[in-house]
Amino acid sequence: MTSPYQHFVETLEEAGRCLGVSADLLRRIATPERVHTVSVPIKRTSGAWEIYAGYRVQHNSARGPYKGGIRFHPQVNLDEVKALAAWMSMKTAVVDIPLGGGKGGITVDPHSLDDAELEALTRMYTNRIHRDIGPYVDIPAPDVNTDSRIMDWLANEYGRLTGLPTPAVVTGKSISAGGSEGRDTATAQGGFFVLQSALEANGESLAGKRVAIQGFGNAGANFAKLASQAGALVVAASDTSGAIASEQGLPASDLAQFKAEGGRFSQMNGEFTRIGPEEVLTYTADILVPSALEDQLSREIATGVTARYVLELANGPTTADGDAVLEQRDVVVLPDILANAGGVVVSYFEWLQNVSLERWSGNQVRTQLADVMKNAFEAVAGIKSARSVSYRLAAYCLAIQRISAAMETHPMGAESASPVKT
Ligand code: GLU
């Protein structure tokens, strides 16, 4: 199977062929500007030292400072972080916010650490990368298994180490530490707006639709709540421990609450049936929402998908083969670099509030997020119909156009630092 980064490069090349741009340009866009690999040693509560591997990939800064989350997961590796960083560059370009793309991660199972160890890990990682991040350089944020508490530690440690305490160095903080209203629900809310626009474009609405959700972390759980509020039925859902289904619709808020309190579906009791973990992806539904990790919708699974819409709230949930099958089967795939961009959009709003010493209301955040997501959807849909390509290729085309334009003209872009005039 192609690795996530290879998959990114192949999709970029396909979009590049469609636009007729040079292979050199694509290579320049594909290649990360900087790659940091760090060791993250901590003394465990047991007294033993453990050394974890950490990464920060700074992919592209032509459109602005690097921006992207930090993931704590046992599967984190450099190839994955490179792909995730590249997808951030694409994402910020698609939604047209003045930021580039980056991503970080530590290869660790955070559930194996106690609170003190988790804090030590976060502070040591910050120690390793603090010279390479900053409010105008590279702004981290939450991702899989990282939350506002971890972002608060990062901001605090950055201020301590540099003597320049500023909340703007990281987004996704708690409200009391300078976080934004609506950041916690932003990924789901952004995806919801994109789905609404796509349904409207086909003369449909979410009311009465059957929704299956893989992954019940921040994105999946909040999306379940929004979809239920809009009259959809969440008929199947999964977390890492198991999957559950109900023809009457699962109680989204109760599930979200149960998960927020640290529960696992395998231990939950209620009026639902248990299904196999992969069955959630092929469960009879109108809308499938992969909100977990990469490479979930393989060719085999894609063949069995019953949904007519796939909303990619996860990054890279569809393999290259899986994507081809879905396209051939006329399933509408709303691609990750558009569908899950709401998180980074509200991160941008948080950063704006921090540097301008403002506070926006939840309503203001939601209204502005709706504008950004709907405009991005329209721009992508325009390219899709003009070029007769999928939403994914259309989104990549848009990103290539915007990033290459910035690489040519932006005085701060990494390219302009090159002494070689081409
Ligand atoms: N981790 C999120 C993503 O993959 C958010 C990144 C951010 O807010 O900077 O888009």
Side-chain angles (χ1 to χ4, degrees):
M1 197 171 63
T2 43
S3 75
Y5 181 68
Q6 254 176 306
H7 183 190
F8 157 72
V9 173
E10 283 169 15
T11 315
L12 187 77
E13 285 173 351
E14 202 182 336
R17 276 195 295 279
C18 167
L19 284 174
V21 300
S22 74
D24 280 348
L25 173 66
L26 296 176
R27 241 168 357 109
R28 283 160 61 210
I29 294 180
T31 311
E33 292 173 7
R34 294 185 182 81
V35 174
H36 307 275
T37 301
V38 299
S39 62
V40 192
I42 59 162
K43 194 170 184 179
R44 301 289 305 265
T45 306
S46 66
W49 281 89
E50 190 88 53
I51 304 176
Y52 298 94
Y55 308 95
R56 184 75 186 168
V57 173
Q58 298 175 320
H59 177 260
N60 192 289
S61 62
R63 302 184 63 265
Y66 306 108
K67 183 84 192 80
I70 294 170
R71 174 175 294 201
F72 289 177
H73 195 277
Q75 274 169 29
V76 163
N77 61 68
L78 185 53
D79 184 280
E80 183 197 43
V81 181
K82 274 169 68 181
L84 290 163
W87 286 326
M88 285 310 304
S89 302
M90 302 290 116
K91 214 181 284 189
T92 52
V94 167
V95 290
D96 206 10
I97 53 176
L99 295 166
K103 198 81 164 203
I106 303 180
T107 315
V108 61
D109 176 5
H111 306 296
S112 70
L113 304 181
D114 64 29
D115 279 1
E117 291 169 336
L118 197 60
E119 179 170 352
L121 184 83
T122 306
R123 290 187 184 276
M124 182 50 89
Y125 175 74
T126 309
N127 185 308
R128 291 293 194 242
I129 63 164
H130 74 275
R131 287 184 202 84
D132 301 300
I133 61 173
Y136 295 95
V137 180
D138 182 357
I139 307 134
D143 196 74
V144 173
N145 290 334
T146 52
D147 57 13
S148 57
R149 194 170 58 138
I150 291 173
M151 298 307 116
D152 293 352
W153 287 329
L154 197 155
N156 178 265
E157 189 66 15
Y158 178 83
R160 228 176 50 78
L161 290 166
T162 60
L164 300 166
T166 168
V169 66
V170 59
T171 58
K173 302 174 295 289
S174 61
I175 301 283
S176 55
S180 175
E181 294 293 340
R183 177 61 186 84
D184 50 348
T185 53
T187 306
Q189 185 73 68
F192 179 85
F193 289 138
V194 169
L195 178 63
Q196 243 183 356
S197 303
L199 288 167
E200 269 168 30
N202 282 345
E204 298 180 63
S205 85
L206 204 51
K209 292 274 188 305
R210 294 166 60 94
V211 180
I213 303 176
Q214 184 204 33
F216 229 72
N218 170 289
N222 283 305
F223 184 81
K225 289 205 276 187
L226 291 169
S228 299
Q229 282 158 18
L233 277 189
V234 178
V235 288
S238 70
D239 68 4
T240 48
S241 75
I244 53 181
S246 164
E247 286 301 297
Q248 281 69 51
L250 295 161
S253 293
D254 295 352
L255 259 51
Q257 174 80 22
F258 177 75
K259 289 292 295 175
E261 286 161 7
R264 297 161 66 78
F265 285 165
S266 60
Q267 294 153 357
M268 192 175 179
N269 296 314
E271 292 189 7
F272 47 71
T273 51
R274 296 195 185 278
I275 56 173
E278 284 191 345
E279 249 181 282
V280 71
L281 297 169
T282 51
Y283 199 82
T284 305
D286 302 301
I287 296 154
L288 173 61
V289 189
S291 340
L293 295 174
E294 301 89 62
D295 294 336
Q296 302 299 301
L297 289 165
S298 62
R299 183 183 8 188
E300 293 70 33
I301 301 269
T303 311
V305 164
T306 59
R308 290 176 300 115
Y309 291 88
V310 173
L311 179 72
E312 293 187 337
L313 287 190
N315 288 305
T318 310
T319 67
D321 292 358
D323 211 21
V325 170
L326 292 175
E327 196 173 348
Q328 189 207 333
R329 297 187 53 221
D330 281 334
V331 177
V332 177
V333 178
L334 298 163
D336 48 6
I337 59 170
L338 170 66
N340 71 31
V344 73
V345 171
V346 178
S347 275
Y348 168 56
F349 296 163
E350 180 175 332
W351 181 90
L352 278 178
Q353 292 171 74
N354 292 159
V355 298
S356 61
L357 306 178
E358 279 180 34
R359 285 233 181 258
W360 298 6
S361 69
N363 260 343
Q364 188 177 351
V365 168
R366 209 167 23 255
T367 311
Q368 302 228 28
L369 174 63
D371 269 3
V372 172
M373 298 311 293
K374 287 178 183 170
N375 287 341
F377 176 82
E378 293 304 327
V380 171
I383 297 177
K384 173 182 158 57
S385 63
R387 294 183 179 270
S388 301
V389 291
S390 63
Y391 278 116
R392 189 184 314 281
L393 277 193
Y396 270 75
C397 286
L398 182 60
I400 291 172
Q401 286 168 338
R402 286 181 173 160
I403 294 171
S404 58
M407 282 164 72
E408 296 310 324
T409 60
H410 199 297
M412 281 178 1
E415 294 298 305
S416 64
S418 164
V420 183
K421 291 277 169 267
T422 49

